[in-house]
Amino acid sequence: MNDLQIKAVLAGILFGFWPLLMNRSGLVGNISALAFTFVAGICILPFALWSIGHSFPIANWTFPVANWTLVILAGLFGAFGLLLFNGVLAKVTPGRVSALFVLMIVVQIAVPALYQVIMSGGLTISKGLGFVAAIIAAFLLI
């Protein structure tokens, strides 16, 4: 495995655990989303501050070439997704949280897979079988 694959696996493990922990926190959905965002923001802040010289060169105060519309849209999608997901986590019982979590992840996986199909110009047999397998897996795991 290369460095990026290891980071992706570790991110998957961490993203797999935080909703299970938040489900047992006792917080209501919107408050748990805010608490999660606050704690995550505090943890991310030192890394972001360290990187600011790389993203925003301080010497000439130029801003990076970025599509800020897409940055804002990504933040909005993430915020509303977090609110919806934490609303689920706050109301579902610990015994059913895994099933809804699996459903969310299967749908989450389908979005970039569909994007890849569109960007690559078509649906291959293997990708089509992958979508069918994901639907079957979601059905069997739920």
Side-chain angles (χ1 to χ4, degrees):
M1 287 184 113
N2 67 35
D3 182 49
L4 296 178
Q5 290 170 325
I6 291 170
K7 287 180 179 180
V9 167
L10 291 173
I13 291 168
L14 296 171
F15 284 150
F17 273 111
W18 82 255
L20 301 175
L21 298 170
M22 189 62 80
N23 169 253
R24 294 184 167 257
S25 73
L27 294 176
V28 295
N30 294 339
I31 298 298
S32 69
L34 181 63
F36 174 83
T37 302
F38 180 75
V39 172
I42 287 179
C43 292
I44 293 167
L45 186 61
F47 298 99
L49 291 175
W50 180 82
S51 298
I52 203 163
H54 304 290
S55 295
F56 297 98
I58 295 172
N60 57 10
W61 289 97
T62 58
F63 288 94
V65 178
N67 186 334
W68 290 99
T69 301
L70 292 181
V71 171
I72 291 167
L73 283 173
L76 289 171
F77 276 53
F80 289 118
L82 185 63
L83 287 170
L84 289 169
F85 186 56
N86 278 38
V88 168
L89 292 176
K91 292 182 179 178
V92 70
T93 62
R96 292 226 347 108
V97 69
S98 297
L100 290 174
F101 190 16
V102 166
L103 177 61
M104 185 273 304
I105 288 176
V106 169
V107 172
Q108 186 178 10
I109 290 169
V111 171
L114 183 60
Y115 176 80
Q116 183 184 19
V117 165
I118 292 168
M119 295 307 289
S120 66
L123 183 66
T124 63
I125 292 173
S126 63
K127 293 255 189 302
L129 290 173
F131 281 112
V132 170
I135 292 166
I136 292 170
F139 177 76
L140 292 174
L141 292 170
I142 294 172

